[in-house]
Structures are given as C-alpha cells and as structure tokens.
Short mmCIF file of all heavy atoms in Angstrom, two decimals:
data_model
loop_
_atom_site.label_atom_id
_atom_site.label_comp_id
_atom_site.label_asym_id
_atom_site.label_seq_id
_atom_site.Cartn_x
_atom_site.Cartn_y
_atom_site.Cartn_z
N VAL A 1 6.27 -2.05 -4.01
CA VAL A 1 5.68 -0.81 -3.45
C VAL A 1 5.38 -1.06 -1.88
O VAL A 1 5.99 -0.14 -1.23
CB VAL A 1 4.41 -0.41 -4.25
CG1 VAL A 1 3.70 0.80 -3.46
CG2 VAL A 1 4.64 -0.12 -5.64
N ALA A 2 4.70 -2.06 -1.56
CA ALA A 2 4.41 -2.23 -0.16
C ALA A 2 3.93 -3.70 -0.04
O ALA A 2 3.54 -4.46 -0.83
CB ALA A 2 3.20 -1.35 0.15
N THR A 3 4.04 -4.15 1.24
CA THR A 3 3.70 -5.49 1.71
C THR A 3 2.97 -5.43 3.04
O THR A 3 3.20 -4.58 3.98
CB THR A 3 4.96 -6.28 1.92
OG1 THR A 3 5.67 -6.46 0.66
CG2 THR A 3 4.62 -7.63 2.47
N ILE A 4 1.98 -6.30 3.25
CA ILE A 4 1.29 -6.47 4.52
C ILE A 4 1.30 -8.01 4.75
O ILE A 4 1.01 -8.87 3.90
CB ILE A 4 -0.06 -5.93 4.34
CG1 ILE A 4 -0.87 -6.01 5.76
CG2 ILE A 4 -0.98 -6.57 3.29
CD1 ILE A 4 -2.03 -5.13 5.97
N TYR A 5 1.64 -8.15 5.97
CA TYR A 5 1.55 -9.71 6.56
C TYR A 5 0.18 -9.98 7.00
O TYR A 5 -0.34 -9.23 7.83
CB TYR A 5 2.57 -9.79 7.58
CG TYR A 5 4.04 -10.07 7.04
CD1 TYR A 5 4.71 -8.93 6.70
CD2 TYR A 5 4.68 -11.36 6.96
CE1 TYR A 5 5.99 -9.05 6.13
CE2 TYR A 5 5.81 -11.50 6.45
CZ TYR A 5 6.62 -10.39 6.09
OH TYR A 5 7.80 -10.50 5.50
N THR A 6 -0.61 -10.85 6.51
CA THR A 6 -1.91 -11.07 6.57
C THR A 6 -2.37 -11.34 8.03
O THR A 6 -3.42 -10.86 8.42
CB THR A 6 -2.50 -12.08 5.72
OG1 THR A 6 -1.86 -13.36 6.03
CG2 THR A 6 -2.35 -11.66 4.26
N THR A 7 -1.61 -12.08 8.81
CA THR A 7 -1.95 -12.39 10.17
C THR A 7 -1.69 -11.28 11.18
O THR A 7 -2.41 -10.91 11.93
CB THR A 7 -1.32 -13.74 10.61
OG1 THR A 7 -1.70 -14.77 9.64
CG2 THR A 7 -1.63 -14.07 11.97
N SER A 8 -0.47 -10.80 11.08
CA SER A 8 0.04 -9.71 12.15
C SER A 8 -0.43 -8.35 11.64
O SER A 8 -0.69 -7.48 12.57
CB SER A 8 1.55 -9.81 12.17
OG SER A 8 2.22 -9.40 10.99
N GLY A 9 -0.68 -8.21 10.40
CA GLY A 9 -1.05 -6.76 10.02
C GLY A 9 0.16 -5.86 9.77
O GLY A 9 0.01 -4.69 9.46
N SER A 10 1.40 -6.45 10.00
CA SER A 10 2.62 -5.57 9.79
C SER A 10 2.77 -5.19 8.39
O SER A 10 2.50 -5.88 7.38
CB SER A 10 3.89 -6.36 10.21
OG SER A 10 3.84 -6.80 11.69
N THR A 11 3.24 -3.99 8.18
CA THR A 11 3.33 -3.35 6.85
C THR A 11 4.75 -2.72 6.59
O THR A 11 5.36 -2.39 7.52
CB THR A 11 2.43 -2.18 6.62
OG1 THR A 11 2.49 -1.23 7.65
CG2 THR A 11 0.99 -2.63 6.73
N TYR A 12 5.20 -2.77 5.38
CA TYR A 12 6.47 -2.33 4.94
C TYR A 12 6.30 -1.55 3.53
O TYR A 12 5.54 -1.87 2.78
CB TYR A 12 7.50 -3.50 4.71
CG TYR A 12 7.62 -4.42 6.06
CD1 TYR A 12 6.88 -5.35 6.46
CD2 TYR A 12 8.63 -3.96 6.96
CE1 TYR A 12 6.84 -6.14 7.52
CE2 TYR A 12 8.67 -4.60 8.10
CZ TYR A 12 7.83 -5.71 8.45
OH TYR A 12 8.06 -6.38 9.58
N TYR A 13 7.07 -0.57 3.40
CA TYR A 13 6.98 0.19 2.21
C TYR A 13 8.28 0.56 1.55
O TYR A 13 9.29 0.57 2.30
CB TYR A 13 6.43 1.59 2.57
CG TYR A 13 4.94 1.37 3.23
CD1 TYR A 13 4.85 1.33 4.62
CD2 TYR A 13 3.90 1.47 2.39
CE1 TYR A 13 3.41 1.12 5.13
CE2 TYR A 13 2.49 1.35 2.95
CZ TYR A 13 2.34 1.16 4.24
OH TYR A 13 1.14 1.01 4.75
N ALA A 14 8.26 0.65 0.36
CA ALA A 14 9.54 1.19 -0.43
C ALA A 14 9.66 2.59 -0.01
O ALA A 14 8.86 3.34 0.27
CB ALA A 14 9.24 1.00 -1.98
N SER A 15 11.00 3.00 0.08
CA SER A 15 11.39 4.30 0.51
C SER A 15 10.76 5.36 -0.44
O SER A 15 10.46 6.45 0.08
CB SER A 15 12.88 4.43 0.40
OG SER A 15 13.42 4.32 -0.90
N SER A 16 10.44 5.17 -1.73
CA SER A 16 9.83 6.07 -2.68
C SER A 16 8.39 6.38 -2.31
O SER A 16 8.00 7.46 -2.70
CB SER A 16 10.00 5.54 -4.05
OG SER A 16 9.26 4.29 -4.22
N VAL A 17 7.73 5.65 -1.55
CA VAL A 17 6.30 5.83 -1.26
C VAL A 17 6.15 5.90 0.24
O VAL A 17 4.88 6.26 0.58
CB VAL A 17 5.39 4.68 -1.87
CG1 VAL A 17 5.62 4.48 -3.38
CG2 VAL A 17 5.68 3.41 -1.17
N LYS A 18 6.93 5.71 1.06
CA LYS A 18 6.74 5.66 2.55
C LYS A 18 6.30 7.11 2.99
O LYS A 18 6.87 8.03 2.60
CB LYS A 18 8.17 5.33 3.27
CG LYS A 18 7.92 5.09 4.70
CD LYS A 18 9.19 4.50 5.39
CE LYS A 18 8.88 4.20 6.83
NZ LYS A 18 10.15 3.57 7.44
N GLY A 19 5.32 7.12 3.69
CA GLY A 19 4.76 8.43 4.23
C GLY A 19 3.64 8.87 3.25
O GLY A 19 2.94 9.74 3.72
N ARG A 20 3.53 8.47 2.06
CA ARG A 20 2.49 8.74 1.32
C ARG A 20 1.41 7.64 0.76
O ARG A 20 0.24 7.95 0.70
CB ARG A 20 3.09 9.17 -0.17
CG ARG A 20 4.10 10.35 -0.03
CD ARG A 20 4.50 10.85 -1.40
NE ARG A 20 5.16 9.88 -2.18
CZ ARG A 20 4.84 9.39 -3.31
NH1 ARG A 20 3.62 9.82 -3.94
NH2 ARG A 20 5.54 8.39 -3.93
N PHE A 21 1.93 6.36 0.89
CA PHE A 21 0.98 5.29 0.62
C PHE A 21 0.72 4.58 1.86
O PHE A 21 1.53 4.39 2.78
CB PHE A 21 1.67 4.35 -0.42
CG PHE A 21 1.74 4.87 -1.80
CD1 PHE A 21 1.55 6.26 -2.08
CD2 PHE A 21 2.08 4.03 -2.92
CE1 PHE A 21 1.61 6.73 -3.40
CE2 PHE A 21 2.25 4.54 -4.11
CZ PHE A 21 2.01 5.91 -4.35
N THR A 22 -0.43 3.91 1.93
CA THR A 22 -0.88 3.07 3.04
C THR A 22 -1.51 1.83 2.49
O THR A 22 -2.43 1.91 1.78
CB THR A 22 -1.82 3.76 3.96
OG1 THR A 22 -1.16 4.96 4.43
CG2 THR A 22 -2.08 2.84 5.17
N ILE A 23 -0.95 0.58 2.90
CA ILE A 23 -1.56 -0.64 2.60
C ILE A 23 -2.44 -1.18 3.58
O ILE A 23 -1.99 -1.06 4.85
CB ILE A 23 -0.36 -1.68 2.17
CG1 ILE A 23 -0.99 -2.96 1.65
CG2 ILE A 23 0.51 -1.91 3.39
CD1 ILE A 23 0.16 -3.96 1.02
N SER A 24 -3.51 -1.80 3.40
CA SER A 24 -4.41 -2.32 4.34
C SER A 24 -5.18 -3.39 3.84
O SER A 24 -5.08 -3.77 2.54
CB SER A 24 -5.42 -1.10 4.83
OG SER A 24 -6.30 -0.73 3.86
N GLN A 25 -5.89 -4.11 4.72
CA GLN A 25 -6.58 -5.34 4.27
C GLN A 25 -7.96 -5.49 4.97
O GLN A 25 -8.08 -4.93 6.08
CB GLN A 25 -5.83 -6.60 4.52
CG GLN A 25 -5.42 -6.81 5.95
CD GLN A 25 -4.62 -7.92 6.22
OE1 GLN A 25 -4.21 -8.67 5.37
NE2 GLN A 25 -4.06 -8.18 7.58
N ASP A 26 -8.93 -6.15 4.39
CA ASP A 26 -10.22 -6.45 4.91
C ASP A 26 -10.30 -7.87 4.79
O ASP A 26 -10.90 -8.42 3.67
CB ASP A 26 -11.21 -5.70 4.31
CG ASP A 26 -12.62 -5.98 4.85
OD1 ASP A 26 -12.74 -6.85 5.87
OD2 ASP A 26 -13.65 -5.36 4.38
N ASN A 27 -9.75 -8.82 5.63
CA ASN A 27 -9.81 -10.13 5.47
C ASN A 27 -11.17 -10.77 5.39
O ASN A 27 -11.36 -11.85 4.67
CB ASN A 27 -8.96 -10.91 6.53
CG ASN A 27 -7.44 -10.53 6.53
OD1 ASN A 27 -7.01 -10.20 5.42
ND2 ASN A 27 -6.75 -10.56 7.71
N ALA A 28 -12.15 -10.22 6.13
CA ALA A 28 -13.44 -10.70 6.07
C ALA A 28 -14.11 -10.72 4.70
O ALA A 28 -14.91 -11.55 4.32
CB ALA A 28 -14.39 -9.99 7.12
N ASN A 29 -13.69 -9.75 3.91
CA ASN A 29 -14.28 -9.65 2.59
C ASN A 29 -13.22 -9.87 1.36
O ASN A 29 -13.46 -9.59 0.28
CB ASN A 29 -14.73 -8.23 2.34
CG ASN A 29 -16.01 -7.93 3.31
OD1 ASN A 29 -17.00 -8.65 3.15
ND2 ASN A 29 -15.80 -7.02 4.20
N ASP A 30 -12.17 -10.43 1.82
CA ASP A 30 -11.02 -10.79 0.87
C ASP A 30 -10.59 -9.73 -0.01
O ASP A 30 -10.59 -9.73 -1.24
CB ASP A 30 -11.55 -11.99 -0.07
CG ASP A 30 -11.84 -13.25 0.74
OD1 ASP A 30 -11.21 -13.53 1.80
OD2 ASP A 30 -12.75 -14.02 0.32
N MET A 31 -10.34 -8.55 0.65
CA MET A 31 -9.96 -7.33 -0.07
C MET A 31 -8.82 -6.86 0.50
O MET A 31 -8.35 -6.90 1.77
CB MET A 31 -11.04 -6.30 0.05
CG MET A 31 -12.39 -6.59 -0.55
SD MET A 31 -12.21 -6.61 -2.46
CE MET A 31 -12.08 -5.00 -2.73
N MET A 32 -7.99 -6.17 -0.26
CA MET A 32 -6.78 -5.50 0.00
C MET A 32 -6.77 -4.07 -0.65
O MET A 32 -7.28 -3.96 -1.71
CB MET A 32 -5.47 -6.23 -0.30
CG MET A 32 -4.19 -5.56 0.08
SD MET A 32 -2.64 -6.43 -0.32
CE MET A 32 -2.59 -6.31 -2.01
N TYR A 33 -6.13 -3.06 -0.01
CA TYR A 33 -6.22 -1.73 -0.55
C TYR A 33 -4.84 -1.05 -0.40
O TYR A 33 -3.94 -1.40 0.18
CB TYR A 33 -7.12 -0.85 0.30
CG TYR A 33 -8.59 -1.44 0.38
CD1 TYR A 33 -8.97 -2.27 1.59
CD2 TYR A 33 -9.55 -1.33 -0.52
CE1 TYR A 33 -10.11 -2.77 1.69
CE2 TYR A 33 -10.86 -1.92 -0.47
CZ TYR A 33 -11.07 -2.61 0.75
OH TYR A 33 -12.35 -3.21 0.80
N LEU A 34 -4.79 -0.16 -1.37
CA LEU A 34 -3.57 0.67 -1.32
C LEU A 34 -4.03 2.21 -1.43
O LEU A 34 -4.58 2.58 -2.61
CB LEU A 34 -2.62 0.50 -2.41
CG LEU A 34 -1.27 1.25 -2.45
CD1 LEU A 34 -0.48 0.87 -1.31
CD2 LEU A 34 -0.56 1.05 -3.79
N GLN A 35 -4.02 2.93 -0.34
CA GLN A 35 -4.31 4.39 -0.43
C GLN A 35 -3.20 5.22 -0.80
O GLN A 35 -2.12 5.13 -0.10
CB GLN A 35 -4.76 4.80 1.01
CG GLN A 35 -5.24 6.24 1.01
CD GLN A 35 -6.29 6.62 0.18
OE1 GLN A 35 -7.37 5.97 0.32
NE2 GLN A 35 -6.35 7.70 -0.44
N MET A 36 -3.22 5.88 -1.73
CA MET A 36 -2.05 6.66 -2.38
C MET A 36 -2.37 8.08 -2.27
O MET A 36 -3.44 8.67 -2.83
CB MET A 36 -1.82 6.26 -3.81
CG MET A 36 -1.60 4.76 -4.05
SD MET A 36 -1.08 4.40 -5.67
CE MET A 36 -2.64 4.93 -6.66
N ASN A 37 -1.61 8.83 -1.59
CA ASN A 37 -1.74 10.38 -1.38
C ASN A 37 -0.60 11.11 -1.95
O ASN A 37 0.48 10.40 -2.00
CB ASN A 37 -2.05 10.70 0.10
CG ASN A 37 -3.25 10.09 0.69
OD1 ASN A 37 -4.38 9.94 0.06
ND2 ASN A 37 -3.08 9.68 1.95
N SER A 38 -0.73 12.32 -2.03
CA SER A 38 0.42 13.18 -2.54
C SER A 38 1.05 12.58 -3.72
O SER A 38 2.38 12.50 -3.81
CB SER A 38 1.44 13.43 -1.43
OG SER A 38 0.78 14.09 -0.41
N LEU A 39 0.30 12.22 -4.66
CA LEU A 39 0.87 11.42 -5.99
C LEU A 39 1.75 12.29 -6.76
O LEU A 39 1.56 13.56 -6.84
CB LEU A 39 -0.25 10.89 -6.79
CG LEU A 39 -0.95 9.78 -6.22
CD1 LEU A 39 -2.36 9.49 -6.90
CD2 LEU A 39 -0.04 8.46 -6.43
N LYS A 40 2.79 11.66 -7.29
CA LYS A 40 3.88 12.39 -8.06
C LYS A 40 3.81 11.77 -9.51
O LYS A 40 3.36 10.50 -9.60
CB LYS A 40 5.19 12.17 -7.41
CG LYS A 40 5.28 12.60 -6.06
CD LYS A 40 6.76 12.37 -5.45
CE LYS A 40 6.84 12.76 -3.98
NZ LYS A 40 8.18 12.50 -3.52
N PRO A 41 4.31 12.54 -10.46
CA PRO A 41 4.39 11.94 -11.82
C PRO A 41 5.12 10.62 -11.77
O PRO A 41 4.91 9.77 -12.61
CB PRO A 41 5.03 13.05 -12.59
CG PRO A 41 4.72 14.21 -11.92
CD PRO A 41 4.63 13.89 -10.42
N GLU A 42 6.25 10.46 -10.89
CA GLU A 42 7.01 9.26 -10.88
C GLU A 42 6.25 8.11 -10.38
O GLU A 42 6.73 6.90 -10.50
CB GLU A 42 8.21 9.55 -9.87
CG GLU A 42 9.02 10.74 -10.22
CD GLU A 42 8.52 11.99 -9.50
OE1 GLU A 42 7.76 12.66 -10.02
OE2 GLU A 42 9.08 12.23 -8.34
N ASP A 43 5.06 8.19 -9.98
CA ASP A 43 4.23 7.14 -9.50
C ASP A 43 3.31 6.52 -10.64
O ASP A 43 2.76 5.52 -10.46
CB ASP A 43 3.17 7.62 -8.35
CG ASP A 43 3.81 8.07 -7.10
OD1 ASP A 43 4.82 7.39 -6.72
OD2 ASP A 43 3.44 9.12 -6.60
N THR A 44 3.39 7.19 -11.82
CA THR A 44 2.83 6.67 -12.99
C THR A 44 3.23 5.21 -13.30
O THR A 44 4.35 5.01 -13.54
CB THR A 44 2.96 7.51 -14.10
OG1 THR A 44 2.37 8.81 -13.96
CG2 THR A 44 2.41 6.98 -15.38
N ALA A 45 2.32 4.30 -13.33
CA ALA A 45 2.74 2.92 -13.56
C ALA A 45 1.36 2.02 -13.63
O ALA A 45 0.40 2.52 -13.23
CB ALA A 45 3.61 2.40 -12.50
N MET A 46 1.59 0.82 -14.14
CA MET A 46 0.60 -0.15 -14.03
C MET A 46 0.71 -0.85 -12.60
O MET A 46 1.88 -1.23 -12.27
CB MET A 46 0.68 -1.29 -15.01
CG MET A 46 -0.42 -2.32 -14.98
SD MET A 46 -2.13 -1.72 -15.57
CE MET A 46 -1.76 -1.54 -17.35
N TYR A 47 -0.17 -0.80 -11.78
CA TYR A 47 -0.10 -1.37 -10.39
C TYR A 47 -0.77 -2.76 -10.21
O TYR A 47 -1.86 -3.03 -10.77
CB TYR A 47 -0.83 -0.38 -9.40
CG TYR A 47 -0.11 0.74 -9.05
CD1 TYR A 47 0.22 1.79 -10.01
CD2 TYR A 47 0.66 0.95 -7.80
CE1 TYR A 47 0.95 2.93 -9.81
CE2 TYR A 47 1.38 2.09 -7.58
CZ TYR A 47 1.51 3.06 -8.49
OH TYR A 47 2.33 4.06 -8.22
#
C-alpha cells in the first residue's frame, strides 16, 4: 500500500491509493499512521 523511509521521511504509494492515502510517522512515540480518505469498497482488507 505505502512505504515511508524513517530517516528521510520520503513516502511512496501504490497507484491504487495514491492521492487518497497518506503515510506518516511519529518517531518520538514509536508510531506510524495511515490516513485513508475517499475510501472505496475495493479498499476492504486486513491491513
């Protein structure tokens, strides 16, 4: 679905979710997030 490089913060997305999903990180708290907008039935899955 998406990748984030932890040091640089660079992000990459699958074409199916690009423009709708955003991957981010909070390194200080050992957390990563995936914001998903404009969800489609095709997004149904175990993540």
